[in-house]
Amino acid sequence: NAGVTQTPKFRVLKTGQSMTLLCAQDMNHEYMYWYRQDPGMGLRLIHYSVGEGTTAKGEVPDGYNVSRLKKQNFLLGLESAAPSQTSVYFCASRTRTAILVYTDTQYFGPGTRLTVL
Amino acid sequence: GQQVMQIPQYQHVQEGEDFTTYCNSSTTLSNIQWYKQRPGGHPVFLIQLVKSGEVKKQKRLTFQFGEAKKNSSLHITATQTTDVGTYFCAGPHRGSTLGRLYFGRGTQLTVWP
């Protein structure tokens, strides 16, 4: 049981290049999230998904696109990378079914450190 | 808009001293969660508080949820070097059933031996 995994762990891009970050979870969670973390800014939600085939915008969606073709995978795409997208990206997942009262816990992946030059 | 504010941003203590971080919300929260992120690591869930005035303890960590359910605190007694990291509070997005959380900006704790 690997939990939440992210690939790649590190990446350096040049301005204008594109890339896709992959998040995978083996906990059969319905909800998945993409966050970015910048120094002093905490975690900011980029996009999220409540199920296969559905996605929605979070707080800072501009410049990113996402897809959830399979329940276990959530992809984050950068079509034309900009230096402002240099950040650490975290994926998280959560179950929808409350086995216990208030099971809002989010499980995070190890992160992807992206640098855009 | 809905916000979760956390203070202080940084805290440096000597090993053995106590540490407290505070979290305040602009709106009433149905629950509040605390996460810890070690340097270079990812956020890990610590605890969730649900009831007004609730107090929970995990060894040297004490978590409180305010009576009005708008504020919370995390207190660490006699800090150890293993407590180093950033502590985040997070509250659910008001009116959302989709599990969205608002995270505070975190308190980065440094412990000197």
Side-chain angles (χ1 to χ4, degrees):
Chain A
N1 192 340
V4 181
T5 58
Q6 292 183 235
T7 53
K9 289 184 171 52
F10 303 93
R11 185 72 184 270
V12 178
L13 290 179
K14 294 181 179 179
T15 297
Q17 287 184 320
S18 63
M19 78 163 294
T20 301
L21 282 68
L22 171 63
C23 175
Q25 52 94 4
D26 61 3
M27 297 176 283
N28 202 33
H29 285 172
E30 292 82 5
Y31 297 170
M32 297 185 75
Y33 311 86
W34 275 108
Y35 294 91
R36 60 176 290 172
Q37 183 176 40
D38 303 293
M41 295 298 292
L43 293 154
R44 293 183 293 171
L45 184 65
I46 305 171
H47 285 282
Y48 63 101
S49 169
V50 301
E52 185 177 323
T54 69
T55 63
K57 295 180 180 180
E59 300 172 65
V60 289
D62 294 342
Y64 305 95
N65 57 76
V66 288
S67 64
R68 182 105 180 262
L69 299 179
K70 294 183 179 180
K71 185 177 183 179
Q72 63 268 34
N73 296 337
F74 195 25
L75 279 63
L76 178 71
L78 286 73
E79 290 187 348
S80 179
S84 60
Q85 294 177 304
T86 293
S87 187
V88 181
Y89 292 85
F90 288 103
C91 175
S93 71
R94 199 208 92 169
T95 182
R96 180 183 65 197
T97 305
I99 300 172
L100 301 173
V101 174
Y102 294 114
T103 54
D104 291 338
T105 307
Q106 293 190 11
Y107 297 86
F108 284 81
T112 295
R113 294 184 179 274
L114 175 66
T115 302
V116 183
L117 303 175
Chain B
Q2 183 176 351
Q3 291 185 347
V4 174
M5 294 152 287
Q6 196 172 348
I7 57 169
Q9 188 173 357
Y10 302 97
Q11 187 77 52
H12 307 277
V13 300
Q14 192 141 25
E15 191 171 21
E17 293 182 337
D18 291 356
F19 159 77
T20 304
T21 173
Y22 301 91
C23 185
N24 289 287
S25 170
S26 57
T27 60
T28 302
L29 300 170
S30 59
N31 68 83
I32 194 155
Q33 302 174 35
W34 286 91
Y35 291 78
K36 177 183 178 181
Q37 184 178 22
R38 296 182 185 274
H42 59 277
V44 174
F45 174 79
L46 292 177
I47 206 163
Q48 181 169 286
L49 304 172
V50 177
K51 298 176 183 177
S52 170
E54 189 170 14
V55 177
K56 286 188 176 180
K57 292 190 176 183
Q58 290 180 349
K59 298 182 180 178
R60 295 177 294 103
L61 279 62
T62 301
F63 303 84
Q64 293 189 347
F65 200 12
E67 293 289 342
K69 301 183 76 172
K70 284 188 171 184
N71 58 75
S72 181
S73 65
L74 158 59
H75 179 83
I76 302 178
T77 303
T79 55
Q80 299 175 359
T81 53
T82 53
D83 296 324
V84 164
T86 301
Y87 294 84
F88 293 97
C89 61
H93 190 280
R94 184 174 57 179
S96 172
T97 58
L98 304 177
R100 287 183 60 176
L101 293 176
Y102 279 109
F103 282 84
R105 294 189 176 188
T107 296
Q108 186 175 321
L109 174 64
T110 304
V111 181
W112 296 335

